[in-house]
C-alpha cells in the first residue's frame, strides 16, 4: 500500500511536459501587444536607445576618477605651458573635451562648469527616455496578458459545443496571463531598475568634473589678466 502511495507523485513528475507551457497564440498576443504599445508610446530613437542599453547593463557603474586624474594632468600642463597648450591634448570623453575646448577659447569658469552640467543633464535625459521604454513595457505586458486571457475565455465560451477547441482556448487564457507576468517581472522591470541605477551613478559622477574643469578656465583668465597688466 505504501509503495502505491509514493509511486503516484513519481508518476506525476514523470509525465510533466515543459512544452505544455508554450502557446504561440498567447506568446504572440503578449509580445506583439507589448511591442506595439512601446512603439506607440515612445519615439523610435528612444526605443532603439533602450535596446542598445542592454549592452551596458553588466558594466561597472561609471566612475569619474580616471577623468579627474586626466583633468589634474591637464591642469599641470596648463600651469607650465598655458591653457592654449591643451588644444593639442587628446580627450576621449566628449563632455570633458567640450569643457576643455571652451576653457581654451577663453570661457569663464561658470561657463565651463555649465557645459559639464548641461551635457550631464542632457545625457541623463537620454537615459531617462530609454528607461521609460522598459518601464512602459513592464506596465503593458500584464495588460496584454489580461487581454489574451479575455480573448481566450471568449473563444472558449464560443466553442462550448466543440470540446476539441476548449482546451486550446483555455491554454491561451491561462498562459497569456503567465507570459505577461514573466515579461514584466523577469525582464522589463529588472532591466529598467538596473539602467536607472547606472544612470543615476553616472549623473552623480559626471557632476564631479564641473569644478576641476572650471579651474582650467580660471587659469586662462588669470593668464589674460597678467598679459594685459
Amino acid at each position: 500500500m505504501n509503495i502505491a502511495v509514493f509511486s503516484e507523485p513519481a508518476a506525476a513528475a514523470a509525465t510533466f511536459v515543459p512544452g505544455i507551457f508554450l502557446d504561440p497564440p498567447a506568446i504572440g498576443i503578449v509580445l506583439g501587444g507589448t511591442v506595439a504599445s512601446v512603439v506607440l508610446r515612445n519615439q523610435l530613437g528612444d526605443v532603439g536607445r533602450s535596446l542598445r542599453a542592454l549592452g551596458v547593463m553588466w558594466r561597472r557603474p561609471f566612475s569619474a576618477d580616471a577623468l579627474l586624474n586626466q583633468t589634474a594632468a591637464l591642469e599641470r600642463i596648463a600651469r607650465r605651458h598655458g591653457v592654449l597648450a591643451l588644444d593639442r591634448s587628446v580627450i576621449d570623453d566628449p563632455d570633458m573635451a567640450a569643457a576643455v575646448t571652451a576653457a581654451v577659447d577663453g570661457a569663464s569658469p561658470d561657463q565651463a562648469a555649465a557645459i559639464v552640467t548641461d551635457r550631464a543633464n542632457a545625457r541623463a535625459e537620454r537615459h531617462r527616455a530609454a528607461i521609460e521604454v522598459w518601464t512602459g513595457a513592464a506596465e503593458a505586458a500584464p495588460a496584454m496578458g489580461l487581454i489574451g486571457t479575455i480573448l481566450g475565455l471568449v473563444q472558449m465560451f464560443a466553442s462550448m459545443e466543440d470540446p476539441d477547441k476548449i482546451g486550446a482556448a483555455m491554454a491561451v487564457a491561462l498562459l497569456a496571463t503567465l507570459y505577461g507576468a514573466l515579461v514584466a517581472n523577469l525582464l522589463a522591470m529588472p532591466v529598467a531598475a538596473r539602467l536607472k541605477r547606472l544612470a543615476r551613478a553616472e549623473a552623480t559622477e559626471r557632476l564631479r568634473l564641473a569644478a576641476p574643469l572650471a579651474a582650467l578656465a580660471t587659469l586662462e583668465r588669470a593668464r589674460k589678466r597678467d598679459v594685459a597688466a
Side-chain angles (χ1 to χ4, degrees):
M1 180 65 68
N2 293 334
I3 296 176
V5 171
F6 285 105
S7 63
E8 290 179 0
T15 59
F16 176 78
V17 180
I20 64 175
F21 291 98
L22 296 178
D23 188 81
I27 293 175
I29 293 171
V30 174
L31 293 185
T34 301
V35 170
S37 175
V38 166
V39 171
L40 292 174
R41 293 173 59 174
N42 301 276
Q43 296 182 356
L44 291 179
D46 294 335
V47 174
R49 190 175 294 112
S50 69
L51 294 176
R52 292 192 297 272
L54 294 175
V56 304
M57 278 188 57
W58 305 111
R59 293 182 183 177
R60 291 182 177 180
F62 178 84
S63 176
D65 291 342
L67 296 180
L68 290 172
N69 292 336
Q70 186 177 12
T71 302
L74 294 177
E75 183 178 358
R76 291 192 294 270
I77 294 174
R79 290 184 181 278
R80 182 176 303 177
H81 304 289
V83 177
L84 292 178
L86 301 182
D87 195 34
R88 298 188 296 271
S89 301
V90 177
I91 303 174
D92 294 330
D93 186 79
D95 296 0
M96 182 176 172
V100 171
T101 300
V104 172
D105 293 340
S108 67
D110 290 341
Q111 290 172 332
I115 290 174
V116 177
T117 302
D118 292 344
R119 292 178 71 95
N121 291 336
R123 187 185 299 272
E125 180 63 23
R126 293 193 297 272
H127 290 168
R128 183 191 63 79
I131 292 169
E132 286 185 348
V133 171
W134 289 105
T135 302
E139 296 172 354
M144 294 302 113
L146 178 59
I147 291 174
T149 298
I150 294 173
L151 292 176
L153 291 175
V154 170
Q155 183 180 1
M156 183 185 69
F157 288 124
S159 306
M160 294 299 290
E161 296 181 357
D162 188 352
D164 293 336
K165 296 181 180 180
I166 294 178
M170 180 60 75
V172 172
L174 295 178
L175 292 177
T177 300
L178 175 64
Y179 295 154
L182 291 177
V183 170
N185 293 283
L186 293 183
L187 177 62
M189 288 178 63
V191 169
R194 188 169 185 86
L195 292 179
K196 187 180 298 183
R197 287 195 298 270
L198 293 174
R200 183 166 53 243
E202 182 170 2
T204 301
E205 286 291 299
R206 284 192 174 276
L207 292 179
R208 295 172 58 195
L209 298 170
L213 291 173
L216 293 179
T218 302
L219 294 177
E220 176 61 13
R221 293 175 72 85
R223 186 191 68 81
K224 289 182 176 180
R225 287 196 301 268
D226 293 341
V227 172

